Amino acid sequence: MNATTPTLRGRARVFARAHINTDEIIPARYLNTADEATLAAHVMEDIDPEFPATVRAGDIIVAGADFGCGSSREHAVWALRGAGVQAVIADSFARIFFRNAINNGFRVIECPGAAAAFQEGDDVVIDLAGGRVRAPGRDIDLAFVPPGEFAERLLAAGGLLPYVAARVQARTAPDDAAPAGSEAGAAQMSAGSSAASAARERRAPAGGAGSTPSNALTPDQRSPQEAR
């Protein structure tokens, strides 16, 4: 299943504790590679040595608060994805891990109370459209915090890089581009330069008390914790 599938379903792998950090997700001694299959062979092994051998494609990790705290390395996301984990449900996420996951097209679900509610091996259903996480066999039905419209666009594209690449390709499609040496081409280049200059001016902080920093996130770019 991909990020655009309206419903995800899988077996719960429960780590019912808070503050699972990125060094526990993938120990630092294995960070000499970015190969996901290699990283997957050691995922979560410092918490559960049997996990790399027992994880199955489509499994869903359920964990406590502040999942993914610690370093900013993306290897933690790559290791989980390489192992076939299709999503992580947690009471809350560390900010950097949350953004790394979205930027890599990896589904993360903030669902307060999930770690206490689910048990190892539960059949978990994530209703993305309805904003619910369920375990039908045990009558568990919890609401989760939606990641936001922009995050959903990134997930649908497969991550930040595919999203940007698709936008660049759309803007530079041959049908829309005039030959570089033509008058129309020169006009396009001039217009593009003017638009870029105007954009830089709009982003530059005015310096007043009410100015907004250029790196401020819009509401739909924030993690669920920050949005609140």
Side-chain angles (χ1 to χ4, degrees):
M1 295 182 181
N2 58 40
T4 60
T5 304
T7 301
L8 304 179
R9 190 166 195 156
R11 178 181 61 157
R13 303 303 306 270
V14 179
F15 296 88
R17 50 160 280 204
H19 313 300
I20 293 176
N21 64 55
T22 52
D23 284 321
E24 293 173 307
I25 297 170
I26 181 63
R29 58 188 177 273
Y30 301 119
L31 300 184
N32 58 350
T33 180
D35 179 69
E36 294 191 2
T38 303
L39 294 169
H42 305 286
V43 66
M44 307 295 282
E45 72 175 23
D46 281 2
I47 298 178
D48 178 4
E50 300 300 319
F51 185 82
T54 60
V55 64
R56 297 198 306 247
D59 280 353
I60 296 173
I61 286 179
V62 181
D66 198 31
F67 185 88
C69 58
S71 74
S72 61
R73 62 177 66 104
E74 292 179 283
H75 296 70
V77 175
W78 299 339
L80 292 168
R81 186 170 61 188
V85 174
Q86 66 171 318
V88 175
I89 302 170
D91 291 353
S92 65
F93 289 91
R95 163 70 176 170
I96 294 176
F97 179 88
F98 181 90
R99 289 304 307 178
N100 280 343
I102 298 297
N103 288 345
N104 280 276
F106 183 75
R107 177 67 67 174
V108 283
I109 301 289
E110 182 182 348
C111 182
F118 289 96
Q119 297 177 359
E120 180 75 9
D122 275 347
D123 178 26
V124 178
V125 177
I126 304 173
D127 178 0
L128 298 175
R132 312 294 298 185
V133 178
R134 303 183 178 95
R138 297 201 303 112
D139 294 327
I140 293 172
D141 188 343
L142 303 175
F144 69 81
V145 181
E149 182 183 348
F150 181 65
E152 288 291 354
R153 291 202 297 269
L154 294 184
L155 288 164
L160 177 62
L161 292 181
Y163 174 82
V164 172
R167 288 175 63 87
V168 170
Q169 184 176 15
R171 290 178 178 179
T172 59
D175 289 344
D176 299 329
S182 67
E183 285 189 25
Q188 286 182 0
M189 292 177 64
S190 175
S193 176
S194 299
S197 298
R200 284 193 295 271
E201 291 176 4
R202 287 197 299 270
R203 290 197 299 268
S211 62
T212 301
S214 62
N215 64 347
L217 294 174
T218 59
D220 63 358
Q221 291 175 300
R222 302 173 189 164
S223 69
Q225 302 98 301
E226 294 176 322
R228 294 194 295 271

